């Protein structure tokens, strides 16, 4: 168990910056996911934490002590790889036992612990098999077993579910969450899948091009994205963006030829971007002042809900999520109710969230 | 009917191919079983009586047992030496991301193209100067000129196929770098090592120019040189040459038969992928 | 830690290559600039005089011509025969394993043994070749395959073709097997004939591997030594004397290490030139494929 602090940690490969200096704190026992598109530096960050690569600058503290000089062996971390990295020449039993066998543990003790772990992961019947005789889900469990058996201070996961099919992925997600609750150890989990990050994490850190953009609870990141990139990256579908204008000292916003009053002042008057989650837009029963006219482009039925893509008079495309039973088809004219109290506003040039002040 | 004609045409072609490939060897085998009287009589027909005297002669009247032992020691030592250091180099090149990887491989590849005649004179002078002439070492080290590039090339390609995550996983699981190599990487490289060992052994077993130049007596003379220099008092001892040829070819035939897939994969390694 | 280990692991191989390959190849150049007669104990530096001698030495040019003819003819035959064999056995049939082993047989046999084998077959009075040709009425009197200047080089080429065609065939077969089957199916659907399939699918895909086979075989044939040393020793009348044989004779029969090394260096230079030409062609080929 460990509390982890990263202090202006950075990594360069030759002349390219894989990771710009970043600071991050991970509480003891926290489930932290690091989320970002491929090539954002998240795997590099994991390798630095594990000691597989040396940072260019900065420090890593486990419980207040620097581990920079320590080898992976001494750091006492476990790593679950995307490819599982099971030793193909060893049986499942020997794969799980390997971390203990390396440090010359008593045979009986190893046997006891392997069975304990196997029981926990429900893979006792697989112990004699070779990795290539296992299914993807089973391999995943063995990889977890090999990580768990050492009772490490930190678990590192590098996209561990991305090689599984969709159904198995959902199931393993739940199991990981349960495992975290049982082990009460710090989990650091890297992924590019925002659903995975949202459903698993206590805290999400969003990384892009080697920069740390935002950290926070899934809820906070969903509701208050620090910039437009996060707004569109998080959520499925992502945030809708509409051109808007802040008027009258920022007390009102003009959007799609309508003027909305704001309870809070968000910035200086001028052109801005309004960000609206698909569920913050409702389809009005009838036209009345204050609604926005739009034309239906595509209707996607997802079962319990539907996604409707519409175009407004100003040619903005909006995606609406609704659970209403509606009989809409292409080119139907409808009216929209916007709930601007839940909207986010962004600076048009930098894309960053405008602070909501008094 | 048409299909039947095509099938028999195909098998006729196969027979011709096999006759062309194996005919000379079979003829050598028949020769080795003929008595000298039949051997020099015309027409050259099948022997009515099989004679093993040529086989016994090469062992009783010539030091052939010692020569086979020499060949075996030289080929084995070359194989062990080149594979051991080739495995280390291959690991360094593909697992540990050795910095000058490309340069090193380019040098290795060009060394493998060196014609042996170009290095034989300096090697002769060195070997003579340090008194290694007519010893096993005088062959084992020069053989590295062709065996080592081959080993490095095959093993580097083979180890590159092993996912680097396995090395990382072993490091995380508490192995030192050396432990990770010995417990995880080397066991996984075993099939590649085996393939490579077969090829290096065959090449070392068959080598002629260096063996001809650096050996002088039965102390270190290898089979190809012995066969080339088979002395005959008045005439060429064709029967004994044939017997000796069959004896040295036999282990190779067995090897080829059981390890053909490995040999072919080793020969094509690297050249197919580019 | 890994970085330092990387250097340690490569060190033994690097040192070995340095000692047994790089040092000798530098040293042979220096030797080629000296007059060094081992039997007389003469050892002095004479700059480029050996090379001057080389360029005007008719025996050198004879050996060069022989080497080129040998290389050109045997490598072309090997490629054509190898391609024919590869195409022929590239199909499923029950005896495939045995055939593959049979193809490997000539490759695995020591060159010395194969040369002795053929020397016996070529034997003028007792050889089975003359006997068979006479029985079929193709020749009226025995031919001296290895003793006749007009025949000897051809005989040596036959031996080399027998020994090394399998190598070419196996590489080409491996090349054939990586051509995607879908291409042939698509071509069949498009109504291509077998010949068109060969010309438009097989050959273009096989081209890179053919070039590699050509490179390996050319380099190998150009330094031919073993089989000719056994078959003819370079005779009769130097009609089969190749560059390697000539260099060997000057080095170890005349014990003239200076001039012998010069001839050896010439072999090395030719080999480098051949490699460079092939590498150039392969590069061009590669870029063509990428486009």
């Amino acid at each position: 168990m460990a509390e982890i602090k990263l202090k202006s940690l950075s990594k360069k490969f030759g002349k390219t910056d894989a990771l710009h200096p970043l600071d991050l704190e991970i509480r003891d026992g926290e489930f932290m996911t690091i989320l970002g598109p491929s090539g954002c530096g998240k795997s590099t960050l994991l390798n630095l934490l594990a000691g597989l690569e040396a940072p260019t600058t900065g420090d890593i503290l486990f419980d207040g002590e620097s581990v920079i000089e320590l080898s992976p062996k001494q750091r006492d971390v476990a790593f679950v790889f995307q490819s599982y990295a099971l030793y193909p020449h060893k049986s499942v039993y020997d794969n799980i036992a390997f971390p203990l066998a390396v440090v010359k543990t008593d045979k009986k003790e190893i046997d006891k612990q392997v069975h304990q772990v196997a029981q926990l992961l429900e893979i006792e019947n697989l112990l004699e098999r070779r990795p290539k005789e296992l299914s993807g889900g089973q391999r995943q469990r063995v990889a977890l077993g090999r990580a768990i058996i050492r009772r490490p201070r930190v678990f590192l996961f590098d996209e561990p579910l991305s090689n599984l099919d969709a159904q198995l992925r959902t199931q393993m997600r739940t199991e990981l969450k349960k495992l975290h609750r049982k082990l009460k150890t710090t989990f650091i989990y890297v992924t590019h899948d925002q659903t995975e990050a949202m459903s698993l994490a206590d805290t999400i850190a969003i990384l892009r091009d080697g920069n740390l953009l935002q950290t926070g609870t899934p809820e906070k990141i969903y509701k208050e994205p620090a910039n437009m990139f996060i707004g569109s990256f998080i959520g499925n579908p992502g945030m809708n963006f509409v051109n808007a204008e802040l008027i009258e000292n920022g007390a009102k916003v003009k959007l799609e030829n309508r003027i909305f009053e704001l309870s809070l002042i968000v910035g200086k008057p001028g052109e801005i971007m309004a960000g609206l989650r698909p569920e913050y837009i409702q389809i009005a029963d009838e036209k009345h002042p204050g609604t926005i006219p739009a034309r239906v482009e595509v209707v996607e039925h997802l079962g319990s809900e539907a996604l409707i893509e519409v175009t407004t008079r100003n040619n903005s495309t909006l995606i609406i999520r609704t659970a209403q039973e509606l009989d809409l088809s292409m080119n139907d004219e409808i009216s929209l109710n916007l709930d601007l109290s839940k909207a986010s506003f962004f600076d048009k040039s930098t894309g960053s969230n405008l602070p909501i002040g008094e | 009917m048409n299909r039947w004609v095509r099938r028999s045409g195909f098998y006729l072609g196969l027979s011709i191919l096999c006759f062309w490939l194996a005919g000379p060897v079979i003829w050598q085998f028949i020769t080795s079983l003929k008595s000298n009287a039949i051997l020099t009589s015309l027409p050259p027909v099948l022997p009515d009586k099989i004679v093993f005297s040529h086989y016994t002669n090469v062992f009783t009247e010539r030091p052939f047992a010692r020569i086979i032992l020499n060949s075996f020691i030289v080929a084995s030592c070359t194989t062990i030496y080149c594979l051991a250091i080739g495995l280390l180099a291959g690991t360094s090149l593909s697992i540990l991301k050795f910095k000058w990887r490309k340069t090193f491989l380019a040098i290795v590849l060009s060394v493998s193209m060196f014609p042996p005649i170009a290095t034989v004179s300096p090697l002769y002078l060195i070997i003579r100067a340090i008194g290694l002439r007519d010893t096993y070492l005088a062959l084992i080290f020069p053989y590295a000129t062709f065996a080592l590039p081959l080993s490095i090339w095959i093993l580097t390609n083979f180890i590159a196929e092993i996912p680097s995550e396995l090395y990382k996983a072993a490091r995380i699981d508490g192995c030192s770098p050396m432990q990770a190599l010995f417990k995880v990487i080397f066991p996984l490289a075993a099939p590649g090592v085996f393939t490579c060992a077969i090829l290096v052994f065959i090449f070392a077993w068959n080598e002629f120019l260096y063996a001809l130049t650096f050996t002088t007596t039965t102390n270190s003379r290898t089979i190809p040189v012995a066969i080339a220099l088979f002395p005959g008092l008045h005439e060429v001892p064709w029967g004994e040459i044939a017997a000796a040829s069959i004896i040295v070819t036999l282990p190779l035939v067995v090897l080829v038969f059981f390890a053909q897939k490995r040999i072919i994969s080793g020969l094509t390694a690297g050249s197919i992928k580019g | 830690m890994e970085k330092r280990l990387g250097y340690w692991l490569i060190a033994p191989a690097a040192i070995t290559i340095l000692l047994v390959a790089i040092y000798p190849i530098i040293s042979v150049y220096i030797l080629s600039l000296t007059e060094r007669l081992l039997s007389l104990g003469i050892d002095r530096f004479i700059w480029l005089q050996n090379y001057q001698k080389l360029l005007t030495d008719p025996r050198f040019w004879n050996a060069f011509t022989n080497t080129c003819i040998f290389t050109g003819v045997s490598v072309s035959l090997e490629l054509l025969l190898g391609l024919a064999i590869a195409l022929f056995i590239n199909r499923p049939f029950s005896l495939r394993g045995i055939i593959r082993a049979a193809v490997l047989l000539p490759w695995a046999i020591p060159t010395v043994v194969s040369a002795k084998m053929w020397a016996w077959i070529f034997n003028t009075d007792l050889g089975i070749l003359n006997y068979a040709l006479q029985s079929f009425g193709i020749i009226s009197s025995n031919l001296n395959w290895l003793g006749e200047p007009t025949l000897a080089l051809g005989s040596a080429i036959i031996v080399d073709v027998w020994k090394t065609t399998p190598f070419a065939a196996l590489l080409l077969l491996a090349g054939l097997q990586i051509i995607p089957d879908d291409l042939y199916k698509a071509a069949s659907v498009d109504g291509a004939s077998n010949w068109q399939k060969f010309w438009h699918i097989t050959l273009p895909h096989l081209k890179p591997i053919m070039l590699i086979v050509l490179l390996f075989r050319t380099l190998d044939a150009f330094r031919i030594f073993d089989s000719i040393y056994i078959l003819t020793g370079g005779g009769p009348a130097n009609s089969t004397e190749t560059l390697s044989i000539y260099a060997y004779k000057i080095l170890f029969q005349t014990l003239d290490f200076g001039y012998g090394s010069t001839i050896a260096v010439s072999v090395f230079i030719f080999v480098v030139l051949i490699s460079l030409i092939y590498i150039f062609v392969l590069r061009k080929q590669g870029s063509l494929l990428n486009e």
Side-chain angles (χ1 to χ4, degrees):
Chain A
M1 304 243 242
E3 171 205 56
I4 296 167
K5 267 188 194 152
L6 310 183
K7 287 187 174 169
S8 58
L9 193 69
S10 77
K11 177 72 183 173
K12 275 187 186 190
F13 291 111
K15 278 174 192 151
T16 49
D17 288 294
L19 213 55
H20 294 283
L22 68 83
D23 294 273
L24 188 63
E25 280 187 34
I26 301 158
R27 278 177 286 116
D28 187 13
E30 188 173 23
F31 198 132
M32 159 77 83
T33 61
I34 295 165
L35 175 64
S38 55
C40 69
K42 53 193 194 302
S43 292
T44 307
L45 181 58
L46 222 48
N47 284 340
L48 293 178
L49 279 165
L52 292 170
E53 270 158 29
T56 309
T57 65
D59 202 357
I60 302 171
L61 306 176
F62 283 14
D63 289 326
E65 277 172 50
S66 171
V67 294
I68 285 293
E69 296 298 323
L70 300 185
S71 68
K73 186 178 169 176
Q74 296 159 314
R75 288 192 195 187
D76 200 11
V77 295
F79 203 126
V80 178
F81 293 87
Q82 184 176 0
S83 60
Y84 317 131
L86 299 180
Y87 307 122
H89 58 305
K90 293 180 190 289
S91 66
V92 167
Y93 183 99
D94 288 332
N95 262 284
I96 298 176
F98 189 69
L100 297 184
V102 169
V103 292
K104 304 248 171 352
T105 315
D106 176 55
K107 280 239 165 69
K108 276 183 194 156
E109 179 62 24
I110 293 181
D111 196 58
K112 197 181 109 195
Q113 297 210 25
V114 169
H115 280 99
Q116 242 172 30
V117 168
Q119 202 175 7
L120 178 74
L121 295 166
E122 295 166 14
I123 48 172
E124 281 165 297
N125 54 334
L126 305 177
L127 287 177
E128 297 313 313
R129 300 215 195 148
R130 292 286 169 118
K132 67 169 178 228
E133 299 163 346
L134 303 179
S135 69
Q138 290 169 333
R139 286 179 203 187
Q140 179 64 70
R141 283 164 202 267
V142 177
L144 280 174
R146 194 176 63 186
I148 292 169
I149 198 159
R150 294 171 48 213
R151 309 185 191 292
R153 300 156 84 184
V154 188
F155 283 90
L156 305 172
F157 296 89
D158 190 0
E159 310 231 13
L161 305 183
S162 58
N163 284 349
L164 301 177
D165 61 49
Q167 209 179 354
L168 208 52
R169 205 171 340 178
T170 322
Q171 186 194 336
M172 284 307 293
R173 216 154 65 194
T174 325
E175 290 192 25
L176 270 178
K177 193 86 185 164
K178 281 187 202 157
L179 193 67
H180 178 242
R181 220 169 290 148
K182 240 181 246 173
L183 297 172
K184 298 188 180 69
T185 312
T186 315
F187 274 35
I188 301 177
Y189 186 107
V190 153
T191 181
H192 68 274
D193 179 341
Q194 53 97 16
T195 324
E196 222 169 273
M198 297 289 282
S199 58
L200 284 171
D202 298 325
T203 310
I204 296 180
I206 294 180
L207 216 55
R208 185 201 193 187
D209 298 334
N211 291 305
L212 182 63
L213 299 183
Q214 190 176 11
T215 47
T217 61
E219 198 193 354
K220 182 173 181 210
I221 285 188
Y222 187 76
K223 288 190 173 154
E224 299 166 28
N227 57 38
M228 287 170 68
F229 165 74
I230 296 171
S232 61
F233 186 54
I234 299 282
N236 186 20
M239 202 172 235
N240 293 300
F241 296 106
V242 187
N243 282 312
E245 192 183 354
L246 215 51
I247 51 175
E248 295 182 23
N249 289 330
K252 288 177 182 173
V253 66
K254 190 176 166 194
L255 189 155
E256 294 290 329
N257 309 327
R258 298 273 190 282
I259 290 172
F260 297 85
E261 296 224 11
L262 296 175
S263 51
L264 294 161
I265 300 161
V266 295
K268 285 179 192 157
E271 298 260 307
I272 58 165
M273 273 292 189
L276 287 159
R277 289 286 174 194
E279 55 272 25
Y280 300 162
I281 308 171
Q282 264 103 42
I283 296 169
D285 296 336
E286 54 196 84
K287 265 186 224 171
H288 59 81
T291 60
I292 291 171
R295 199 177 66 241
V296 176
E297 299 286 350
V298 182
V299 181
E300 257 182 80
H301 292 286
L302 301 176
S304 61
E305 56 183 26
L307 295 178
I308 300 159
E309 189 184 315
V310 301
T311 320
T312 63
R313 291 274 156 81
N314 288 8
N315 251 340
S316 309
T317 302
L318 299 174
I319 293 176
I320 303 163
R321 188 202 303 274
T322 176
Q324 284 169 268
E325 297 274 334
L326 292 165
D327 187 23
L328 291 175
S329 50
M330 209 176 125
N331 290 335
D332 283 358
E333 296 288 337
I334 55 170
S335 309
L336 305 176
N337 261 328
L338 303 188
D339 183 358
L340 281 203
S341 65
K342 288 177 178 168
S344 303
F345 297 95
F346 302 95
D347 186 305
K348 214 166 181 180
S349 54
T350 63
S352 58
N353 204 331
L354 293 169
I356 299 176
E358 287 303 310
Chain B
M1 199 61 190
N2 187 21
R3 208 171 137 198
W4 187 85
V5 171
R6 265 164 70 178
R7 261 181 84 89
S8 43
F10 174 67
Y11 282 102
L12 181 72
L14 271 190
S15 316
I16 295 172
L17 178 63
C18 286
F19 177 74
W20 161 250
L21 295 170
V25 186
I26 294 168
W27 180 240
Q28 190 78 337
F29 181 61
I30 294 170
T31 302
S32 74
L33 296 172
K34 286 178 179 172
S35 67
N36 275 330
I38 302 178
L39 211 57
T40 51
S41 73
L42 282 168
V45 282
L46 292 174
D48 44 9
K49 198 176 74 183
I50 290 171
V51 174
F52 289 102
S53 63
H54 299 306
Y55 286 90
T56 47
N57 275 356
V58 293
F59 287 107
T60 53
E61 286 173 23
R62 301 177 193 281
F64 211 63
R66 171 67 196 245
I67 281 164
I68 291 177
L69 180 74
N70 290 344
S71 264
F72 189 76
I73 291 175
V74 168
S76 307
C77 290
T78 305
T79 308
I80 293 167
Y81 174 65
C82 289
L83 258 81
I85 62 176
L87 180 63
L88 297 182
T91 310
S92 176
L93 291 169
S94 44
I95 295 280
L96 302 175
K97 311 268 181 276
F98 181 66
K99 207 172 152 192
W100 307 102
R101 179 193 155 91
K102 275 198 173 161
T103 321
F104 189 80
L105 279 177
I107 292 172
V108 165
L109 205 58
S110 46
V111 165
S112 74
M113 291 175 182
F114 283 7
I117 192 73
T119 50
V120 75
S121 54
L123 284 172
Y124 175 85
L125 292 176
I126 301 167
I127 285 166
R128 204 180 59 154
I130 53 180
L132 280 183
R133 252 197 115 187
D134 209 23
T135 64
Y136 295 141
L137 287 178
L139 295 183
I140 293 167
F141 283 115
Y143 282 6
T145 47
F146 61 85
L148 188 56
L150 182 75
S151 308
I152 292 176
W153 191 251
I154 291 179
L155 290 172
T156 304
N157 277 323
F158 193 87
I159 296 170
E161 307 264 298
I162 299 174
S164 63
E165 276 93 9
L166 288 178
Y167 175 81
K168 289 186 188 169
R171 293 282 282 127
I172 298 277
D173 285 342
C175 289
S176 67
M178 271 318 225
Q179 275 178 317
L181 295 183
F182 275 97
K183 284 180 194 280
V184 175
I185 300 301
F186 292 165
L188 291 175
V193 171
F194 188 59
T195 302
C196 191
I198 294 171
L199 289 182
V200 169
F201 189 90
I202 291 177
F203 285 135
W205 182 265
N206 294 353
E207 202 282 337
F208 181 59
L209 177 58
Y210 289 151
L212 177 68
T213 315
F214 304 145
T215 65
T216 47
T217 66
T218 13
N219 283 337
S220 67
R221 187 166 285 165
T222 58
I223 297 167
V225 185
I227 290 178
L229 303 180
F230 245 16
L233 274 178
H234 304 294
E235 56 208 9
V236 184
W238 287 112
E240 287 175 22
I241 289 175
S245 303
I246 295 301
I247 293 169
V248 304
T249 308
L250 216 57
L252 297 174
V253 170
V254 173
L255 215 54
V256 161
F257 200 80
F258 287 104
Q260 44 162 310
K261 282 203 176 132
R262 287 189 181 283
I263 293 173
I264 292 169
S265 77
L267 282 178
T268 51
S271 56
I272 295 287
K273 275 172 281 171
Chain C
M1 201 140 133
E2 260 82 3
K3 223 180 219 171
R4 218 177 319 144
L5 184 68
Y7 283 104
W8 277 113
L9 294 188
I10 212 152
I15 291 169
T16 305
I17 285 180
L18 208 64
L19 287 182
V20 301
I22 308 291
Y23 169 74
I25 210 74
I26 294 168
S27 168
V28 77
Y29 272 89
I30 297 167
L31 274 174
S32 75
L33 303 176
T34 60
E35 179 178 32
R36 186 141 186 198
L37 300 163
L38 290 194
S39 47
L40 304 174
I42 294 174
D43 183 5
R44 63 195 184 93
F45 208 72
I46 54 167
W47 292 105
L48 294 173
Q49 282 181 38
N50 280 328
Y51 288 90
Q52 244 171 351
K53 184 175 160 194
L54 190 76
L55 293 176
T56 53
D57 178 2
R59 202 172 149 193
F60 167 74
W61 290 110
N62 169 57
F64 176 71
T65 315
N66 286 340
T67 310
C68 288
I69 294 172
F70 179 88
T71 305
V73 176
S74 65
V75 170
S76 338
L77 283 174
E78 281 154 25
L79 188 75
L80 288 177
L81 278 174
L83 185 60
I85 293 173
L87 288 168
F88 187 64
I89 62 176
N90 183 31
R91 66 184 81 187
F93 57 94
S94 46
L95 298 170
R96 208 166 155 168
I98 295 172
I99 296 297
R100 247 195 338 226
V103 170
L104 270 176
L105 189 65
W107 168 85
I109 290 177
T111 315
V112 169
V113 169
S114 77
K116 283 282 185 197
M117 249 160 48
W118 280 94
W120 175 233
I121 290 170
F122 282 137
N123 192 292
T124 314
D125 299 322
L126 305 171
I128 193 167
L129 182 63
N130 276 337
Y131 176 76
L133 291 176
Q134 279 217 30
S135 314
F136 288 115
I138 296 169
I139 53 171
S140 52
S141 64
N142 283 344
L143 292 176
N144 190 353
W145 293 99
L146 300 173
E148 187 71 47
T150 48
L151 290 177
L153 195 60
S155 304
I157 288 173
I158 291 175
V159 178
D160 195 63
V161 168
W162 180 81
K163 171 104 177 76
T164 53
T165 302
F167 172 80
L170 286 172
L171 280 189
L172 292 169
L173 182 64
L176 281 177
Q177 282 166 347
I178 56 167
I179 302 176
D181 211 29
D182 287 352
L183 289 177
Y184 290 107
K185 285 184 191 156
S188 296
V189 171
D190 293 341
S193 67
N194 281 342
W195 172 249
Q196 283 171 318
K197 282 186 214 169
F198 174 74
W199 193 254
H200 291 286
I201 299 173
T202 312
L203 266 192
H205 277 84
L206 221 47
K207 218 167 164 187
I209 188 88
M210 278 166 83
L211 279 169
I212 287 171
V213 170
L214 275 177
L215 169 67
F216 286 173
R217 286 303 317 137
T218 310
L219 291 181
D220 236 29
F222 199 86
R223 58 199 190 193
I224 180 77
F225 177 81
D226 302 11
S227 59
I228 289 184
Y229 184 87
I230 301 291
L231 287 168
T232 62
N238 295 343
S239 65
T240 58
E241 189 170 83
T242 60
L243 288 172
S244 286
I245 296 274
Y246 183 32
Y248 186 82
K249 281 184 185 165
I250 297 297
L251 283 170
F252 296 104
Q253 285 170 8
T254 321
L255 291 180
D256 183 347
F257 266 53
Y259 190 54
S261 297
T262 311
I263 305 167
V265 164
S266 80
V267 179
F268 181 69
I269 291 171
F270 287 128
V271 161
V272 169
L273 283 177
I274 293 168
S275 315
L276 287 178
I277 291 169
Y278 274 108
I279 287 167
F280 179 74
V281 175
L282 271 171
R283 278 251 172 94
K284 233 175 136 187
Q285 205 68 42
S287 64
L288 279 176
L289 279 178
N290 288 339
E291 286 162 15

